[in-house]
Amino acid sequence: MAMDIVNPAIAKYLDDLLPAREPWFLEMEKMAEKNNFPAVGPQVGMLLEILARAIAARRIMELGSGFGYSGLWFARALPEDGFLLLSDFAEENRRRAEENFKKAGKSGIMEFRVGDALELLKQEKGPYDLIFNDIEKEFYPQVIDPAYRLLRKGGLFITDNTLWYGRVTAGQATLDKNAAFIREFNTRLMAHKGFLTVIIPLRDGVSVSIKYQ
Ligand SMILES: C[S@@+](CC[C@H](N)C(=O)[O-])C[C@H]1O[C@@H](n2cnc3c(N)ncnc32)[C@H](O)[C@@H]1O
């Protein structure tokens, strides 16, 4: 059964505290709500921007970009000669993301690849400063090792939905398929010798790992 990870009153309080956002963010948030599309939302978006700024990221890769909402938060953190590689299965998402980046004046730093993000991970040459993972949950366990390989030391590996509506806490009998994959992912990520990881219980849970050795 789904549960609120953040108490709804706290979630509302945090939303009310958010500073004003540019119109393209608001449009994309409306679009996500209308189509029931799971974009990260402004609180996690802000966290992504802060983390990218904190490590002065210049090269960022996103796995599962949708129409570019989380990507645009990263774009805010990148310098003009930075690079943001977005990816998604859907050609339609590429078109929409490119439109949204154009509105935000950020087209110059982004490239969008249509296809399987797992293949992209295998083919890409690093190093990247930050990799953001938001693909189908069943693939999460397969992302850890290639992401580690592509990151520079001190780089961040960030993954959304790592508490999966609280379903990761279910007993074996009621554990859904995605929750089982996410549990496997969390356990392996926490045990990984080269990553130091914390799961932040913001929205649906965000894991933040630093490649420290
Ligand atoms: C949760 S949504 C991404 C939301 C986006 N990160 C945001 O916050 O705006 C997941 C997206 O990943 C894409 N996706 C899922 N599995 C994928 C895979 N293996 N390779 C490429 N794209 C994938 C889906 O098509 C979907 O658009």
Side-chain angles (χ1 to χ4, degrees), residues 37-40 62 64-66 68-70 87-90 93 115-118 132 134-137 139:
F37 184 79
V40 292
E62 255 203 355
S65 296
Y69 182 82
S70 49
S87 61
D88 204 283
F89 275 144
N93 281 336
D116 187 349
L118 288 174
F132 178 56
D134 198 10
I135 58 173
E136 283 297 326
K137 311 314 155 193
F139 303 129

Side-chain angles (χ1 to χ4, degrees), residues 171-182:
Q172 211 57 38
T174 55
L175 194 65
D176 78 35
K177 196 174 108 260
N178 283 329
F181 282 118
I182 290 175

Side-chain angles (χ1 to χ4, degrees), residues 28 32 37-41 44-45 48 62-74 87-90 93 112-120 132-140 143 160-161 164 203:
M28 291 165 93
F37 184 79
V40 292
V44 172
L48 299 180
E62 255 203 355
L63 314 170
S65 296
F67 51 70
Y69 182 82
S70 49
L72 267 181
W73 286 97
F74 284 128
S87 61
D88 204 283
F89 275 144
N93 281 336
F112 198 111
R113 305 268 181 85
V114 175
D116 187 349
L118 288 174
E119 283 307 309
L120 183 64
F132 178 56
N133 171 30
D134 198 10
I135 58 173
E136 283 297 326
K137 311 314 155 193
E138 64 181 286
F139 303 129
Y140 272 19
V143 175
D160 194 30
N161 309 107
W164 199 239
R203 203 183 72 99

Side-chain angles (χ1 to χ4, degrees), residues 9-212:
I10 303 283
K12 180 176 183 312
Y13 176 73
L14 294 177
D15 271 344
D16 291 348
L17 278 178
L18 285 167
R21 300 186 282 296
E22 285 108 335
W24 46 86
F25 277 125
L26 300 177
E27 263 175 45
M28 291 165 93
E29 287 162 20
K30 267 196 208 137
M31 169 97 138
E33 201 179 332
K34 189 172 141 220
N35 298 326
N36 206 11
F37 184 79
V40 292
Q43 291 173 21
V44 172
M46 192 81 84
L47 174 69
L48 299 180
E49 178 180 344
I50 289 169
L51 291 171
R53 284 187 187 275
I55 61 161
R58 304 183 63 83
R59 286 172 54 83
I60 297 178
M61 178 194 274
E62 255 203 355
L63 314 170
S65 296
F67 51 70
Y69 182 82
S70 49
L72 267 181
W73 286 97
F74 284 128
R76 285 171 52 91
L78 283 168
E80 267 177 28
D81 61 347
F83 177 65
L84 174 59
L85 184 58
L86 306 183
S87 61
D88 204 283
F89 275 144
E91 171 63 31
E92 176 64 7
N93 281 336
R94 181 183 65 79
R95 196 186 55 72
R96 289 206 174 127
E98 285 177 354
E99 256 172 35
N100 289 323
F101 269 66
K102 201 165 167 195
K103 279 184 202 159
K106 298 285 184 185
S107 303
I109 53 168
M110 78 94 111
E111 193 179 315
F112 198 111
R113 305 268 181 85
V114 175
D116 187 349
L118 288 174
E119 283 307 309
L120 183 64
L121 259 182
K122 280 183 211 146
Q123 289 158 11
E124 264 301 293
K125 299 228 165 26
Y128 277 86
D129 300 304
L130 193 157
I131 296 176
F132 178 56
N133 171 30
D134 198 10
I135 58 173
E136 283 297 326
K137 311 314 155 193
E138 64 181 286
F139 303 129
Y140 272 19
Q142 295 175 55
V143 175
I144 299 173
D145 290 332
Y148 180 78
R149 182 181 59 81
L150 279 186
L151 281 171
R152 67 152 160 101
K153 200 167 163 187
L156 296 180
F157 174 47
I158 306 174
T159 297
D160 194 30
N161 309 107
T162 47
L163 295 176
W164 199 239
Y165 308 98
R167 291 185 180 123
V168 287
T169 64
Q172 211 57 38
T174 55
L175 194 65
D176 78 35
K177 196 174 108 260
N178 283 329
F181 282 118
I182 290 175
R183 253 177 27 188
E184 181 191 340
F185 172 83
N186 288 341
T187 305
R188 281 178 44 191
L189 187 58
M190 286 287 181
H192 195 290
K193 296 234 169 349
F195 280 132
L196 203 56
T197 298
V198 64
I199 297 177
I200 303 173
L202 184 66
R203 203 183 72 99
D204 197 25
V206 186
S207 68
V208 179
S209 311
I210 186 163
K211 175 170 172 171
Y212 78 125

